[in-house]
Every structure is written in C-alpha cells, then in structure tokens.
Amino acid sequence: MAEKWWQSAVAYQIYPRSFQDSNADGIGDIAGIISRLDYLEKLGIDAIWLSPVCRSPQDDFGYDISDYQDIDPMFGTLNDMDKLVAESKNRGIAIVLDLVLNHTSDEHPWFIEAKKSRDNIYHDYYVWRDGDESAPPNGLLAAFSGSAWEWVPELKQWYLHQFSKKQPDLNWDNPAVRQEIYRMIRWWMDRGVGGFRLDVIDLVGKEPDRLITGNGPKLHDYLHELSKETFQKGDLMVVGETWSASTEDAKIYSNPDGSEFSMVFQFEHIMLDQLPGKDKWDLAPLDFMALKKVFTHWQKELHGVGWNSLFWNNHDLPRIVSRWGNDKEYRVQSAKMLAILLHGLQGTPYIYQGEELGMTNATFSSTEGLRDIESLNMHADRLSKGYSEEEIMKSINAKGRDNARTPMQWDSSENAGFTLGTPWIEVNPNYKEINAASQTDDEDSIFSCYRKLIALRKTNPVFAFGDFAILLEDDPHVFTYKRQYKDQEMLVAVNFFSQEEPFFGRVDTSGMKLALSNYKGESDTLRPYEARLYIANPRGF
Ligand code: GLC
Ligand code: CA
C-alpha cells in the first residue's frame, strides 16, 4: 500500500460557532477562524475538520442544511471560505468539510418542493409513507426523542426524520438524489478543500420499513458509487461517521484500495460508560479493562488492511478530561496522559478544539443555560416519563453535547477572548485559569504536550506505521503497549488512575529513550496518571 498524506497527519476539529467571533454578534465565524490560524500552525496540525458552515436554520446548529453550496451569513461568505482554504493551505493545513448527506433541513428548496404535492419531482427526494394521522408507519424513534415520522396533513403522508423533524431524511434509493450530491461534492473539490467528514453516513442505506437504520443492505453499493464519482478524483482525506461500525465494517469503509473512505469514526470505546443495551444518558462507570480490549482489537484488526481514526472528543461528546480523566487535582496530568495514550496508537488523531488546553465540561444547573436540541428534547421526554429533574440534569451534565460546545478559551479577558459581544452559550467560568494564552509558550503545558506528540508523529514513522502489541494485558490500572516499525520501537505506558503503580522491572525499556512524559524525572513507579512514551532509534531529537 502506498503511503497517504493523511496517515501521518493530525487533524483538529473546529466547531465554528464556538471558536472565535470576529464581529461581536456572539457567534464564532470564518473570519474568526482565519485570525487564529497561526495558533493552529504552532500546534502543528495538518488538517481542520470544520463542522458545518453551510446555510442552515441552525435547528441542529448546522447539521440541518438548507443550501449545500453557500455559507450561512452568520459564519461569513463563500469568499471567506475561499480565503480560509487558501490561508490554511499556505500553512500546510487542509480544510476538511463536514458533509451532511443523510438529511437536509426542512427549509431546503428540495423539501419545500417535495411537500407541495406527491407529483412534484422533488417529492421522491425524501422518504414518505402513506397512512393516517392516528399512528406513524412504525415505531422507529428519532435520535432526538419521539417518533422518527412526521405527519404532513396536506399530503396525508408521513416523512422520515432520524434526527429532528426539521431534518428530513434524503432518499438515497433515488438515483437523482445521489447525482445531485455528487455534483455538489465535486463543486467543493474544485474550490480546493482537502477532504470531507461524512455525517452519519452509515444511515444512508436505511430501510425504515424493516427498522433498518445503520448498515443497510445497499449501503456499500452507494458508498462505492459515491467514492468513485467524487473522492477518487482527488487526493483527499475522507472520514465517515459510523456509529454502528464493527472492525469488519471498518475494513470495508477504509479499504486501502480507496474504494470508499480513508477511515471512519467508530464509537466502540465511547460507549463503554453507558448501561448495556440502553442509551448514552443511562450512565455507568467506565469499564477500563473493556477500554483496553477495544483499543487492542481495533489496532490489531485494522493494521495493514484498513485505517483507524483516533479520538476522545468531538462536538457530540463530553470533554474527556472530565469524563475519564480527573478535572480537579490531576487535570493537567490526566489530560496529558489521555493525549499520550491516544496519540501513540496507529491511525489519524483528531483533536477537538480546547482539548489541547485541557478544557473541562461545562456544567448546567437547569435547562436555562442549555442550547442543544438533543438535551432539551430528552429533558422534556424523560420528565414526561417520570424521571426526576435531578436525574435528568445528572445525565446532561455527564453526556450532554453543550458540555463541550462552550466557547474556546483564548485568554483571561472578558468572555475568554472569544467575543466582544454576548456569547450564544455561556463561557465556562474557569477560563481565567484554563486558556490558550497561558499555555502556548509554556513548555510544560498541555498544549505543549500535544504539540510535541504531533511533532514526534511527523518525524518518527513508528507512529504512523508501527504494529501493535499490548503488554501487561491483565493489569487493571495500567495501559501499556509496544509498537514496532523497521528499526524503530515505541513503548507507551500510562497509569489511568490516581494511585501509584509499580513500573520498572515489569516492562523492558532498555535501549529506548524517554521521548515524552507528563512528570519531571523518572521514578520506579507510575505516579498518579503518569504517562511515558519511549522510542528506540528516535528521530528528530
Ligand atoms: C452527527 C453529528 C451531530 C448531528 C447528527 C445529525 O452525529 O455529529 O452533531 O446532530 O449527526 O446530523
Ligand atoms: Ca460572528
């Protein structure tokens, strides 16, 4: 397999609403992002995954698109976008656009037409079922609570929406829909974007009558066609969001022959702190041994025959330092530990804005501060089902998407330097302590730890290409693994918990150099959340 640029790359996700506001309306925008590119260049990343900036009524903050080929005025103009692509390119950074292809906004012209009559040529762009108003076609549920079907009285039909009712599902069985999508993607490719992130792409082969949502029987036919008509005409980084993917699925999605994508986001590790068979709001403590098993499984299964993406965080997930680290006494150590553990693996790492600063979850005392439709709908739904306010807020503070959507903490000035206006969602009050300005020039900061990890990956091929072997497999507190590529060997050892653990004498680090750690000086033990990364035959230092 020929090496691909994205195999040694590190990506950074920007949630535009919350990154940097340039015009004091309280909402981040493209001009704001451009003004922060030097920061990202310093961090050393190669690609920016940009959450959606296309025209959208913002019911799901951009994941409800009403025009795929224009920028929402709230974020700027197409001109700003071209400028962002060019300015990023100057710094060696590719822009990866977020494509929402499973559904549009109900305000998209296609849907407005589709709703006019059953004979309209756009009607079949969406998924309709006859029936009567008293009951939806079946019990399929929407991800944002309630039925996945919405009644349209004028047509006497139901339409499918797997997310909010303002996000009607597109009908991929209609070839005209697929062709429109391919045309649109090629148009973005011509504008110079470096890749795409494909929102809930495993849902496009749905067969709602059989209650099939993810992984439908026609899914891979459609994705082969999609890739052939678009991505294969360029040298792109393409990552699919696939909640349902197993390693077997991921080998198809990320086949090195390039027939589908570069890689997928899979969520097996992310779901290890919820009750089995329930949803994310039903909290359970993290099963650490399962975490070791899941990472080991994905590392081994995809080696040489597929490609992993590596992430703890994104705009849908709580902040990792609050979730599986310790955001109090050991915030700095545990944030670095989580970084070293993840970035030592094979795959393309993704950093979500603020993760590189050890930003923590925001907490909400009531629904008043919440902005996310998912949390607000769930709150109403569970209240009506008899859950207590307290239980519901507990779930939201653990798993809600707003927790990681508060503004980027740039400095200690008002609103963390994010906006001169009133931010659309409140800034986390800890911004005076946790912010970029205090970290970028500090060699011991979390930011510097991420910067060093990125630099190490670029100069040491063992990061991108080494194989994987787990060590101390049965140890319930320590995660240790070894990787090897040509003359290089790497060993990562982390203590995932706050009690000290024995280390020296248990693994062999002879001939290796300590390339990075989160404590000063080596000790015989692994101290609370200690992480060490050793390399044999290191390059670049
Ligand atoms: C994806 C996005 C999420 C969005 C959903 C519907 O999971 O990451 O933010 O709400 O798809 O588009
Ligand atoms: Ca703005």
Side-chain angles (χ1 to χ4, degrees), residues 92-263:
I93 298 173
I95 296 292
V96 173
L97 272 202
D98 204 323
L99 288 176
V100 186
L101 307 178
N102 176 67
H103 44 268
T104 67
S105 162
D106 66 337
E107 296 179 40
H108 192 290
W110 297 341
F111 193 72
I112 294 173
E113 286 299 309
K115 248 182 12 181
K116 285 186 178 161
S117 83
R118 294 179 180 216
D119 307 326
N120 191 290
I121 53 161
Y122 291 102
H123 185 262
D124 192 40
Y125 271 43
Y126 296 87
V127 182
W128 300 93
R129 292 294 178 266
D130 294 341
D132 71 76
E133 196 177 352
S134 64
N138 59 36
L140 212 58
L141 294 177
F144 298 159
S145 307
S147 170
W149 298 99
E150 181 72 9
W151 178 250
V152 178
E154 301 80 36
L155 296 182
K156 297 207 176 348
Q157 281 189 312
W158 298 87
Y159 69 83
L160 177 71
H161 62 89
Q162 298 194 62
F163 295 89
S164 92
K165 62 180 182 216
K166 286 184 67 60
Q167 293 167 293
D169 269 61
L170 282 166
N171 174 18
W172 273 64
D173 296 334
N174 179 348
V177 169
R178 305 203 300 273
Q179 291 305 324
E180 295 256 23
I181 287 173
Y182 306 155
R183 260 197 299 279
M184 175 275 286
I185 294 176
R186 290 192 294 259
W187 181 87
W188 277 113
M189 287 171 64
D190 290 342
R191 289 195 104 90
V193 303
F196 298 102
R197 178 262 186 187
L198 307 173
D199 190 64
V200 292
I201 196 69
D202 58 339
L203 301 185
V204 303
K206 62 221 153 202
E207 294 202 352
D209 302 316
R210 298 163 62 204
L211 304 179
I212 295 175
T213 54
N215 265 335
K218 279 176 281 179
L219 177 65
H220 290 289
D221 290 345
Y222 293 157
L223 299 184
H224 268 68
E225 184 188 85
L226 162 67
S227 170
K228 185 158 163 278
E229 296 287 333
T230 58
F231 316 138
Q232 287 173 37
K233 300 176 194 293
D235 181 18
L236 303 178
M237 174 164 115
V238 179
V239 49
E241 186 202 21
T242 58
W243 279 83
S244 63
S246 64
T247 50
E248 290 313 301
D249 302 321
K251 287 180 205 171
I252 305 173
Y253 288 123
S254 67
N255 191 321
D257 70 4
S259 53
E260 291 192 6
F261 311 148
S262 317
M263 67 195 101

Side-chain angles (χ1 to χ4, degrees), residues 20-30 73-75 418-419:
Q20 178 68 61
D21 180 21
S22 72
N23 61 352
D25 66 353
I27 300 172
D29 44 52
I30 296 175
M74 147 190 312
F75 296 124
F418 163 69
T419 181

Side-chain angles (χ1 to χ4, degrees), residues 354-373:
E355 178 186 336
E356 76 281 14
L357 305 174
M359 273 178 64
T360 64
N361 272 351
T363 48
F364 301 88
S365 53
S366 73
T367 51
E368 203 184 309
L370 296 175
R371 298 289 178 268
D372 178 24
I373 184 170

Side-chain angles (χ1 to χ4, degrees), residues 36-75:
R36 294 295 187 181
L37 285 175
D38 290 343
Y39 170 83
L40 298 177
E41 187 179 18
K42 174 155 189 176
L43 183 58
I45 51 112
D46 308 278
I48 294 172
W49 154 24
L50 197 64
S51 276
V53 289
C54 288
R55 247 181 217 276
S56 159
Q58 304 288 318
D59 185 55
D60 186 18
F61 297 138
Y63 287 90
D64 49 318
I65 292 177
S66 56
D67 186 347
Y68 290 103
Q69 292 177 223
D70 201 3
I71 301 297
D72 197 283
M74 147 190 312
F75 296 124

